[in-house]
Amino acid sequence: MVPVAVTAWAIALAVSFLPGVAGIVIALAVLGVVVVLVARRSSSAVPVFASPSGAPSLGVLSRGPRTLDAVARAAPLAIVCLAVAAAIGGAAAATAPARDQAASLAGHAVTAEVSVRSLPSLGADGRLWADADTSRLGPGDDPRPLRVPVRIGIPPDAHAATLGPGTVLRLTAEAKGTDPGERAALVLFAKGAAEQLSRGGPVERLAGDVRAAFIERTQRLPEPGSELLPGLAVGDVRAVSDDLDTAMKASGLSHLTAVSGSNLALVAAAAFGIVALCGGGRVFRITVAVLALAGFVVLVTPQPSVIRAAAMAGVAMAALLLGRPRAGLSVLLLAITVLLLADPRLAAAPGFALSAAATAGLIVLAPPLAAGLGRRLPRPVALAIAVPLSAQLACGPIIALFATRQSLVSVVANLLAEPASPIATILGLLACLAMPVPALADLFAAAAWLPSAWIAQTAVTTAALPLATIETPAGIGSALAVAALSACAFWVIAPHRPLRAGWRAIVGGLGAVVIGTAAGWGIVTGPVSLLQRPADWGIAMCDIGQGDAVLVRSSGHTMLIDTGPDPDPLRRCLDDLGITRLDLLVLTHFDHDHAGASDALVGRADAVLHGPVDTAAHQHQLDRLERGGAQIMDAAAGMTGRLGGADWRVLWPRRDEKVFPPGNDAGVILQVTGGGVPRSLFLADLSAESQGMLRRLAHPHDETVVKVAHHGSADQDPQLYADLDPALALISVGEGNDYGHPRVQTLDMLQALRTPILRTDQRGTILVSEGEEGLRVWTERPAPAGDGRSTPHPLPTSTARAP
């Protein structure tokens, strides 16, 4: 099965990233089968000559038949591999016309009817995102039938609690194209609320109601255990805060909230064991276990890891039924092959790869690791350590392809948390089954909260340890380095024959090179990087992607205006600049790209100044900050304060604002002056209309530094910027964002005012200071070559940047 599965994955990757090669793959596979059959037929027709004594002899043809015999023996395997390749090519070719038709709609407004295929998750833009399949798609109000996989983003509404697989929605959306290799043919950004046509069939509706009731019940329990419990039991991670999510990732425990093979194995084992206790036969036990698996998959939704784990469990039960229960690796490889035949684009899904790698690690690496550790430790302890270590060694190189941080505490964290995971899962499922009896459901949910709280506290504690994670550049280089370190760790621990002196020198030299490179990278990106940054900055615009996070500092006191969407880049920026405490946190408004990482600042801010609150989720964010010790203040025009030697003033919104609803147009607009801070205006996400109102009511003018509104969108008031006449314009924007920010019109407007522009997508983190001679600027990266709009004119005084 190894060559079959490798062939399936390689061909699936090829047709996913290069759809045009599907026909070539089919033709080559068919030709290969013909060649193999001809070679095999030829090997069976080779004559055997007789010697003069009458004994058979191959004579001078002895080498030819032996070679052909080898071909004949390999022919069945080769035919299977070629048949798999042809089938995957055929599957890709069959879906190509529909995907091409969908791709032609990219950049247009479309109407779509979709069937949701996954649980939604909250995205960086505040939308709920889910995988779906279209049934009708096209421009206008009467879309034509077209079935393709898509990714949909819709505003949260009252139906979000029960939104899940089987839900049929009708929405008007802006269609965006996807990159090669993505499973979705289009990304649909809904314009306005989506209309719910159906919640699916009876089974899907029942599963959605059970999930919603269970989540509602867990929310009554204390945090952070209540945040994790829905993920551990039914795979719903919407309740997990950004802070806890970051801790789970840093400690290597995030896989526990993703339903995987371990969860399915628990469900199958429980069903199998109950039937066995009741005296059921082997066939009946397996039948009940399969039905339990099917129900569990419906409840937790068919995510890629769930599909893989369910397929493997199904094949494993078939192997058990046939009397071959030890064929673990073959079962896994067969499951992978079958899934890739059904959907070749799973090959490019990181979650699918991680799930398969973790299972393969448990099957292949865990036994020798346990044997090696057993030479120094008691066998139960050795096995307990070998299980998470084998998964970590197998998944590490894949994680390094995408992640910029590697966990150094994952083995310890998993060793502490893994025993609690099955308890939380089983008790959580019992709570779901007991929903008709509320008192019993409450009892099971409360019991499940205890192991869930243990896992959450383990994540928080281990993530806070020194050097819990190290920063690495994502990509093939890091993946190869991690693979080399994983191989070295396995070789050191697992039993093996001693190497000869020459091989010991080679292995030792390679290990020294990898360790030296990693140490050098850590020094360059750590202490050396800190020494490159000037210490006298007054404004720091953090590079946090598509969002805002701007620091203002005066006389050792610091203010942060917005947090961006993701805690990781925010923490990295604060750490790089040596910021451990905030005197004031300003949340201009509660869009995810401005306040999404606020949980990372719980306990680190003395006061919070915020814009209008319009949802319970926004109030919940403020409540968490208040419980962390922050004073909460509702911003309104006219409020003033001191930050060290600088003065700040709120220019917008007006108290009890009636014209503009909470959100972009009612965002907090701050003006900061003095104390070593350039005279600055931070425009949040105001649109042209609200900018015009601000201009007429507050009359701002002659600002030295302006944070351009809404990431440089086209919706700007040119007269406001003319009045401000800034010496420097700062734009916080994510590289390659889907919104086209910053827009050409805005850049041209600033260029017409002869205002230099600095953007985080091009320059990284930006530091601005004010001295006797004027502004001084430092940027993390140099200006891109040939860019005429970033800095169209020289800054008023000197400029510095990172080498």
Side-chain angles (χ1 to χ4, degrees), residues 156 188 216 318 350 369 544 552 569 591 594 616 673 686 732 741 786:
L188 302 181
E216 190 274 332
L369 287 174
I544 46 84
V552 180
D591 282 1
H594 288 255
T673 60
L686 258 60
S732 182
H741 295 162

Side-chain angles (χ1 to χ4, degrees), residues 223 227 241 599 602 620-628:
E223 297 176 348
E227 298 177 20
S241 65
D599 282 351
V602 172
H620 182 64
Q621 287 180 268
L622 294 176
D623 292 342
R624 288 178 60 84
L625 290 164
E626 187 173 25
R627 287 196 296 269

Side-chain angles (χ1 to χ4, degrees), residues 87 449 530 574 640 665 775:
W449 174 85
L530 288 175
L574 296 177
T640 60
D665 287 317
L775 292 181

Side-chain angles (χ1 to χ4, degrees), residues 53-143:
S53 62
S57 172
L58 295 178
V60 295
L61 296 179
S62 60
R63 290 184 178 271
R66 287 178 183 174
T67 302
L68 293 174
D69 284 344
V71 172
R73 287 193 297 271
L77 179 59
I79 290 174
V80 171
C81 290
L82 291 168
V84 166
I88 291 176
T95 60
R99 294 181 69 90
D100 291 342
Q101 189 175 347
S104 67
L105 299 173
H108 296 82
V110 298
T111 300
E113 292 183 10
V114 302
S115 177
V116 179
R117 288 288 174 258
S118 70
L119 285 175
S121 59
L122 188 64
D125 56 357
R127 297 171 183 263
L128 288 175
W129 288 93
D131 296 320
D133 292 328
T134 64
S135 57
R136 305 181 71 87
L137 178 66
D141 294 329
D142 187 21

Side-chain angles (χ1 to χ4, degrees), residues 217-266:
R217 183 165 267 104
T218 60
Q219 288 176 345
R220 307 172 192 168
L221 300 169
E223 297 176 348
S226 61
E227 298 177 20
L228 277 187
L229 189 50
L232 293 168
V234 295
D236 193 315
V237 296
R238 282 177 288 179
V240 178
S241 65
D242 290 336
D243 208 27
L244 182 57
D245 180 59
T246 301
M248 293 288 288
K249 291 176 180 176
S251 58
L253 296 177
S254 58
H255 66 92
L256 296 180
T257 56
V259 178
S260 60
S262 60
N263 304 78
L264 288 154
L266 281 171

